[in-house]
Amino acid sequence: MTATHDEAADAPLVAFERFVRMHHVTVFRLASCLLGDPAGAEEVTEEVFVGLWHGQRRPPSTADLFVRTVDHCLDKAAPTALFTALRRFGGPERTGWLLADVLHFPAARTAELLERSETEFTPRLEATRLALTHWLAP
């Protein structure tokens, strides 16, 4: 094997490691916020990245990363009224709401992370807010 061949073989791993470094803190922060448990959040963070690596051998989209994180958290979380209501939404809608309204990401950044335009994202966020308000009303 030549150095060039080794570098080519390692390229997917290097790209994935870069992806993990770039997003680890945000994934952990999201999981920690949802679970309220740093140990559980670290476990979810690890499960998400390991699952993504085994699933495709290349860096996933950020949308897939955050949707999977929320899905893992909802699977582990206690069944609260909010989490029960969030399970009614598709992954991108609930993830967008959590990033924008819980973690206070700007709408433009949330839309970017979910690989949508802000114009497409904003009405969906408003619809999610309205539905949650309705479902969680006393």
Side-chain angles (χ1 to χ4, degrees), residues 77-125:
T80 65
L82 174 60
F83 286 176
T84 300
L86 285 172
R87 286 184 179 101
R88 295 180 176 188
F89 293 97
E93 285 75 23
R94 69 176 161 234
T95 301
W97 178 80
L98 288 162
L99 290 172
D101 287 4
V102 175
L103 294 179
H104 307 291
F105 279 47
R109 179 66 177 139
T110 302
E112 176 187 337
L113 289 170
L114 295 176
E115 299 172 341
R116 294 207 160 91
S117 69
E118 190 172 357
T119 305
E120 178 187 3
F121 171 72
T122 302
R124 289 182 180 204
L125 177 60

